Every structure is written in C-alpha cells, then in structure tokens.
Amino acid sequence: MKKKLLAATLCAAMTAMTACSGGSSGTSTTAAATTAAATQAAAAETEAAAAEEASGTINPEDVTGKVMIYTSMYEDIIEAMDEKLEEVFPNADIEFFYGGTGTLQSKVAAELDAGKLGCDMLMVAEPAYSLELKEAGVLFPHEFAETDKLLFEYDEEGYWYPVRVCNMVLAYNPEKVSKDSIPNTLEGFATDTSLKGKISMSNPLTSGTAYASIVALLDAYGEDYFASLGQQEVAIESGSVALTKLETGECSEIMILEESVLKKREEEGSLLEVIYPTDGTITIPSTIMIVNDDYNSNANTAACEAIEDWFLSSEGQKYIVSGWMHSVRSDYPDAPYDAIPTKEILENVMPVDWEKCFHEREDIRTMFQENVTVPQ
C-alpha cells in the first residue's frame, strides 16, 4: 500500500513538471516546489516504513500459517471473533478449542507430560494460571506497545496480558423478590439465614473465575465464610442452571458472572438484575498468552504476536465488550450492554491475591470441599 501511494505521489509531481515545462519563471518555480514536495513525501513514506519495520508491526495480510487458541470464553463469542479474525487475517488459519478452565488445565497438563501442546496461544480465566505456565517455561514473551493503556496488571516481561474483564456479582429476579429484601453484599450471601437452600454459585473446582472468587472471599472473611455457605446449603452448579432457578423462584439470589446476566437480558429480554456487591465486586482480568516454540503446535509465534496485538487493540476490545465483558483498555469508552461503567466498578473491588491463587490452589480447593457439598 505504501509503495502504491509513493508511486502516485511521484507520478503527480512528474505530471505537474511536464505540464509546466517551457513556461514562465513563475511556472518553473511552481514545478520546483512540486518536485520538493514530492521529495519530502517520498522521504516521509520511507521514514514511516522504516518506523513500522522497527516497531515490529506486521501487516495483517502478511500473517500466514496456522494458529490454535485454547480458550474458556463462551462459544458464541468465539464464533463472532472467529469470523472477524478471518476478515482481519485473511491468509492465516486461526482455530479455537473451547473448554472450561478445569478442562483446559487438564488438557494442558496431559500435553505437557507428552512434551508438546496442541495450541499456540491461550486465553484463560484468571492470571494465576498464567503465573503457573510462565514458571513452567511454557510461554513466549511479546512486547505489547500500548501497556500504558492497560487498566490491569500484566507481566512486565510480556509473558501474559489481561484481555477481558469478568466480574463476579450477585443476581436476583425482581419479579420474585425485592432488592431490599435480600443481601447486597457477598458476605450476606453466605450468612443471611433467610436464603438457606435458595442460593447458588459456580464450581470453583472447574471454573477459574469461581476459584478466583473463593480466594478473594477467603482473604476477606476467612474459612468461616465457607462453613456458612455449607450451612446455607448453597447449590454448586452451572450458571445456566442457576439462572433458570432464579427465573422460576427456586433460587432467591445467586453468585454469578455479570456477563451471564447481561447476555440473558440482551438476547432474551430477561428481567433478571445484577447487584454489584457493596462490599466489593470481584474483578477478574482474564489473560492472553503465547506458547513458545519448545511447546507450541505450529511454530508460528510471529502470527501469534500479531493476533495478540489485535485482541488488545481498541478494535479487538470491541468484540470483547460486545460479548458482555469489560475492556482492559483505559481509552475504550463503552461498557457492555446494561453494565455500569468499568470505572465505577473499579472504585469498589474485592482484591484477589493471584500468587496465592497459584501457589495454594490445591489447599484452597480442598478447604472448599470440606465445607461445601460439591456434586461429583
């Protein structure tokens, strides 16, 4: 594209010079000025091309080869992104494998034991797993040029970046109960005895966002919180089941990802509502990573870098937000459908210790199982 533009500029200049040849001294001056302008334009184009090459930017049409991405995002969101990626990178073969966090972790562990992963990139639920894979020497460091635009922490060596933000919230059905009659805090969710047998949450043994949430709650309220959850007979089940129970009135309140409620509201016109807990929303920046050539499937890290940059760009973030998740960029203007602004959420969050999530995973999962009945 730049070569064509440069050729067009020079052609225009030569045409002007030819038309003015044999004219007065004034037209000669005009021709000289045009020639100078063409020279400056050519220099500018050359400088821009050199800067692009130095920055490592790749023209999307030059991205080729196969890339496999393991992800825990909703399948319908993946389908929308897949279509867009085909448009942005027309000469690359980009595929997704979907699975819950537990499924992906088991798959990756088995593949690592065999010495090779079946993927080139991962997009997982929470940073703790990124810390684990970095420590294992699996990841490839990529320098993203706009880290100053990221709202959330990232690996300073470039091994992982936040790519989407999921929020653990509470939800209720205003047709069945009033907001004032149920707890508006995560603490009350576990301790208000009027909710006994009528609450639900996701399984932290299989869901990365649910696991991150119990780590945050453990730090905030201690192990007694989970003893209370057990006494409240909390149901451990999928988000879709919990939402159905909320609609029928079988549940009065559930702990669930904000995106699940927003999706149902937009797609189905549901009246279910989000409660952003007054003791803090649990904000979970899900991460994107590139696998290094020792372990990846297709030895195509250059393509992976371009794809990672796209996901972190404003254009890529548009598809994150349209999937009812929040953008990781400080300069992205919009929140998901029916969500409050990201800035407002970040004013009151319950923090998650990601190092603790990583290093104490098995102990924390065991503690949860000792207090709460988890279906087998």
Side-chain angles (χ1 to χ4, degrees):
M1 182 64 74
K2 286 183 167 59
K3 290 181 179 178
K4 291 180 180 178
L5 178 60
L6 176 56
T9 305
L10 291 173
C11 182
M14 293 301 294
T15 301
M17 290 172 64
T18 302
C20 294
S21 62
S24 66
S25 59
T27 57
S28 297
T29 301
T30 301
T34 304
T35 302
T39 302
Q40 291 175 355
E45 290 292 332
T46 302
E47 183 177 346
E52 181 176 305
E53 183 177 353
S55 69
T57 302
I58 301 175
N59 186 326
E61 293 186 358
D62 293 334
V63 175
T64 59
K66 187 172 182 177
V67 173
M68 172 61 78
I69 305 173
Y70 287 176
T71 182
S72 58
M73 288 193 295
Y74 289 140
E75 290 184 83
D76 52 350
I77 299 172
I78 296 168
E79 289 175 5
M81 288 185 172
D82 197 24
E83 291 178 7
K84 184 61 181 180
L85 286 168
E86 286 183 9
E87 178 185 325
V88 175
F89 302 103
N91 299 313
D93 179 11
I94 303 169
E95 296 183 9
F96 289 89
F97 173 85
Y98 167 79
T101 296
T103 299
L104 291 182
Q105 288 177 339
S106 296
K107 183 175 177 63
V108 168
E111 291 175 346
L112 284 176
D113 285 342
K116 201 77 171 177
L117 294 184
C119 66
D120 306 283
M121 301 180 70
L122 298 105
M123 298 173 69
V124 298
E126 40 82 15
Y129 191 45
S130 299
L131 297 177
E132 180 178 340
L133 292 178
K134 178 186 175 181
E135 185 174 287
V138 171
L139 303 181
F140 174 85
H142 168 58
E143 184 176 349
F144 176 56
E146 296 185 294
T147 53
D148 60 315
K149 300 292 197 304
L150 296 178
L151 280 168
F152 301 87
E153 62 184 301
Y154 58 91
D155 184 74
E156 292 186 357
E157 295 177 282
Y159 286 100
W160 56 267
Y161 296 98
V163 70
R164 56 191 171 113
V165 181
C166 304
N167 296 302
M168 192 63 73
V169 297
L170 300 171
Y172 75 106
N173 184 349
E175 294 186 304
K176 302 294 183 180
V177 298
S178 69
K179 186 177 179 180
D180 293 339
S181 68
I182 55 176
N184 284 202
T185 65
L186 290 166
E187 181 181 24
F189 178 79
T191 57
D192 188 329
T193 56
S194 69
L195 294 178
K196 185 174 181 177
K198 293 188 174 183
I199 58 175
S200 173
M201 65 179 290
S202 296
N203 188 347
L205 307 184
T206 58
S207 164
T209 50
Y211 170 67
S213 298
I214 69 169
V215 175
L217 291 163
L218 178 61
D219 282 346
Y221 299 118
E223 288 190 30
D224 288 346
Y225 182 91
F226 302 98
S228 295
L229 274 180
Q231 292 164 7
Q232 291 283 76
E233 299 176 2
V234 62
I236 305 300
E237 55 202 356
S238 70
S240 60
V241 171
L243 289 168
T244 298
K245 287 184 175 181
L246 208 56
E247 289 181 316
T248 62
E250 187 176 346
C251 277
S252 296
E253 190 169 35
I254 62 176
M255 186 190 304
I256 195 167
L257 288 176
E258 174 197 35
E259 66 209 58
S260 299
V261 183
L262 302 182
K263 182 178 189 292
K264 199 168 186 66
R265 286 177 64 84
E266 181 171 14
E267 291 189 339
E268 302 176 25
S270 173
L271 296 178
L272 301 183
E273 292 188 5
V274 168
I275 297 174
Y276 296 94
T278 56
D279 52 350
T281 297
I282 302 174
T283 298
I284 304 157
S286 301
T287 58
I288 187 168
M289 301 164 278
I290 299 172
V291 179
N292 66 38
D293 285 342
D294 290 336
Y295 293 97
N296 63 29
S297 180
N298 295 292
N300 198 5
T301 51
C304 294
E305 289 182 286
I307 293 167
E308 185 168 88
D309 282 343
W310 181 83
F311 270 109
L312 297 173
S313 71
S314 292
E315 181 187 14
Q317 290 293 289
K318 179 173 68 175
Y319 291 85
I320 295 293
V321 174
S322 67
W324 307 282
M325 296 168 286
H326 289 253
S327 172
V328 298
R329 292 181 65 101
S330 60
D331 59 350
Y332 193 87
D334 302 322
Y337 174 87
D338 261 6
I340 66 173
T342 310
K343 181 180 178 182
E344 288 186 29
I345 292 175
L346 294 180
E347 289 172 354
N348 183 30
V349 299
M350 186 177 291
V352 183
D353 184 336
W354 300 115
E355 290 285 349
K356 184 172 185 174
C357 272
F358 166 28
H359 293 291
E360 300 180 30
R361 182 180 291 121
E362 294 309 314
D363 289 342
I364 292 171
R365 286 175 170 173
T366 298
M367 178 277 300
F368 186 83
Q369 289 176 283
E370 288 173 347
N371 288 282
V372 176
T373 301
V374 179
Q376 298 300 314

